[in-house]
Amino acid sequence: MSQPPRPLFSSARHRAQRDRMARLPAPANFLAPIIAETLLDRLTMVTREFRRTLLIGAHDKALADHLRATGTDLCIAEAGPRLAAANDALAVEADAIDLPFASFDLILWPGGLDSINDVPGALVRLRALLAPDGLLLGAFVGDGSLPRLRRAVMADGVRSIARLHPQIDLAAMGNLLQRVGFALPVVDVDALTVRYGDWFALVRDLRATGLSSRLSPAPPPLIRKEAARIAAAFEAQADADGRVAETFRLIHFSGWAPHPDQPQPARRGSGTASLADALKPAP
């Protein structure tokens, strides 16, 4: 009998990271308000009310308070048990939420999809939790992020060991949404540049935002020489002002639970206008 594949990410390390976020001051997680503002801006473009909302992640109290102020019945799912307890949330991983089908009109996921072991399974589960014509809206740090850090960890004298997470790209996310049955999927990206004086400041930010490694098994700790080489390689990429411009690519995604009243794409081959005719130069 074949053995199940080993999980890429450690759930125990994930829970520990989330609980560590609960002990940090809110401003330490600089990404949370940026992602929240983007998601709320996109919600304002939707001309309907959402009576029942699921928020995945209890790390942004301001976002939760804003949603409650809209009058929606808010449920929060949070992997970190301490963070969950402090925010009256369900202590559960996003790919293991066990609630009745069609329980929500809106699901918000402000970060974290990129480090779930079963991304398609998580999306299938969320699709089932949405009522017909319900909306899934989220964001995560995606493909192309942290290029200078990735270059630095490959410096000479550093063991060639996987330390950074694989990343989901724009096309893959769009395909996933379609594959699991979401209607009208939309995926786009914003690039955010953050300037760092040294590698250690970036590491502090990654920890505060829950983006540090949760690979399984955990890579061996860096020895002092390796850390020094990575820091030097990172700082060697600095601009003239001595600061390194690092990039976070925020991939935003949305999809709707199917409903008969939603717009439908035209059947393939049903067009009546000729592309060749449209491209002909005007007489």
Side-chain angles (χ1 to χ4, degrees), residues 100-168:
F101 289 177
S103 293
F104 302 101
D105 307 299
L106 171 66
I107 298 177
L108 281 184
W109 196 349
L113 176 145
D114 52 303
S115 52
I116 292 293
N117 277 310
D118 184 6
V119 175
L123 291 174
V124 167
R125 189 175 292 265
L126 298 185
R127 160 71 184 79
L129 291 176
L130 282 171
D133 207 30
L135 173 64
L136 169 67
L137 183 62
F140 60 90
V141 176
D143 182 52
S145 296
L146 304 172
R148 288 162 180 80
L149 174 61
R150 290 178 177 275
R151 204 171 297 134
V153 298
M154 295 187 292
D156 290 341
V158 179
R159 285 168 292 176
S160 181
I161 297 169
R163 296 186 181 275
L164 299 178
H165 294 181
Q167 298 174 335
I168 301 173

Side-chain angles (χ1 to χ4, degrees), residues 203-219:
V203 170
R204 286 193 295 271
D205 267 0
L206 295 180
R207 289 175 175 169
T209 54
L211 294 175
S212 51
S213 175
R214 63 187 68 143
L215 294 173
S216 177

Side-chain angles (χ1 to χ4, degrees), residues 188-266:
D188 59 76
V189 63
D190 284 331
L192 173 67
T193 300
V194 184
R195 298 177 65 78
Y196 291 99
D198 55 48
W199 172 65
F200 302 98
L202 171 59
V203 170
R204 286 193 295 271
D205 267 0
L206 295 180
R207 289 175 175 169
T209 54
L211 294 175
S212 51
S213 175
R214 63 187 68 143
L215 294 173
S216 177
L222 292 168
I223 61 176
R224 185 173 299 179
K225 286 184 178 179
E226 288 177 314
R229 289 180 182 274
I230 292 174
F234 183 76
E235 291 156 27
Q237 303 173 73
D239 296 329
D241 63 356
R243 304 184 73 82
V244 180
E246 188 57 286
T247 302
F248 295 80
R249 282 170 52 87
L250 302 180
I251 293 181
H252 307 280
F253 63 92
S254 65
W256 294 83
H259 187 275
D261 293 339
Q262 290 170 344
Q264 301 296 317

Side-chain angles (χ1 to χ4, degrees), residues 9-19 79 81 93 117 214:
F9 301 110
S10 164
S11 296
R13 295 183 73 197
H14 183 209
R15 292 191 293 270
Q17 287 178 4
R18 299 293 300 180
D19 280 343
E93 293 276 359
N117 277 310
R214 63 187 68 143

